[in-house]
Amino acid sequence: MKPLVMVISASGTNRHHDAAWACELAGANTEQVHMSQLLGSENTSDILSKADMLLFAGGFSYGDALGAGKRWAFDLEIGLKEGLTNFVETGKPVIGICNGFQVLLKAGLLDLAEEQATLTHNENAKFECRWVYLEANKNTTCSFLKDLDELIYCPVAHGEGRVLANQDIAAERIAFSYTTAEDSKAINYPFNPNGSQQHIAGLCNEKGNVLGLMPHPENHVVDYHHPRWTRGEVGNKGLSLFEAAINYSKKV
């Protein structure tokens, strides 16, 4: 049987359909679940336990009220804390993309205190929508990234994606970094689109099964997603991330 990925959305998210399709292309069955279904249930642990992987979609949950992801994070902390804690303890993978990353970090699911790492407004104080290269950290604790050898080329779309990280943060907690396709180029703007310290694009929890990243790998999963595919440029698809996570979910 194919693993089941539960794609969780909230009012204002807009990437849940894209994320679900990416997971299906990567070999999973998907179920899209709105937060209202979870918060209205008497036992969220039972609902979540059906899944082999959880994915928190990107967008602008609750209109970014109180700050990007903050309002959604309250829902996780207050209404879903027990169910999510139980799920994470099983070792099954959890991924948060863009707004989902903001939510996981602010809800404490990445095991990082605010003084260790936070997400804030882009350094140039502008909304950034552009394509970037991501490199997986070979020494990360994130269990399903260790065999990800190829760079990922995908878009970012955020106004609050700058990672401010304490210099003492363990290097292995960095899951993805912004990079370039050419070693000779410095990794500064626009390759690092938001001014994130240490060029951090994604972080993981200490256990290694919860991953948050700002870019959108779900928006480059087929050749024609590439912005220059009509010129014959293809490759570096984000599909590889979903394949790695789903394959890992089969082993847990």
Side-chain angles (χ1 to χ4, degrees), residues 37-195:
Q37 296 170 256
L38 295 172
L39 294 173
S41 171
E42 293 183 0
N43 196 332
T44 55
S45 292
D46 287 347
I47 297 176
L48 297 176
S49 65
K50 297 189 304 179
D52 299 293
M53 173 175 143
L54 300 181
L55 195 155
F56 290 84
F60 303 93
S61 59
Y62 302 103
D64 282 349
L66 308 179
K70 191 71 174 178
R71 172 66 178 79
W72 193 3
F74 284 154
D75 279 347
L76 300 193
E77 290 181 284
I78 297 169
L80 303 183
K81 185 172 184 179
E82 182 179 354
L84 287 172
T85 300
N86 292 341
F87 190 92
V88 171
E89 284 302 310
T90 67
K92 295 177 182 179
V94 179
I95 297 178
I97 300 173
C98 195
N99 198 210
F101 177 21
Q102 294 163 336
V103 169
L104 293 182
L105 184 61
K106 292 174 183 180
L109 289 170
L110 286 167
D111 302 333
L112 291 166
E114 191 172 356
E115 60 269 19
Q116 292 178 288
T118 190
L119 284 159
T120 188
H121 294 278
N122 297 345
E123 191 171 36
N124 61 10
K126 296 178 181 179
F127 184 88
E128 284 290 328
C129 184
R130 64 176 65 252
W131 284 67
V132 298
Y133 284 98
L134 302 180
E135 183 176 24
N137 176 11
K138 295 302 179 187
N139 298 314
T140 183
T141 57
C142 188
S143 309
F144 46 90
L145 294 185
K146 297 186 183 299
D147 296 324
L148 212 62
D149 296 323
E150 189 178 50
L151 299 182
I152 290 176
Y153 188 49
C154 65
V156 296
H158 58 249
E160 296 181 46
R162 185 187 184 199
V163 176
L164 297 182
N166 190 305
Q167 291 297 320
D168 294 331
I169 188 172
E172 59 267 22
R173 301 294 293 277
I174 299 172
F176 279 108
S177 299
Y178 296 109
T179 187
T180 71
E182 301 175 29
D183 293 337
S184 60
K185 290 185 177 180
I187 306 171
N188 47 32
Y189 185 85
F191 301 105
N192 178 341
N194 49 41

Side-chain angles (χ1 to χ4, degrees), residues 215-226:
H216 289 278
E218 75 276 21
N219 290 140
H220 185 197
V221 293
V222 291
D223 286 346
Y224 60 77
H225 279 165
H226 195 294

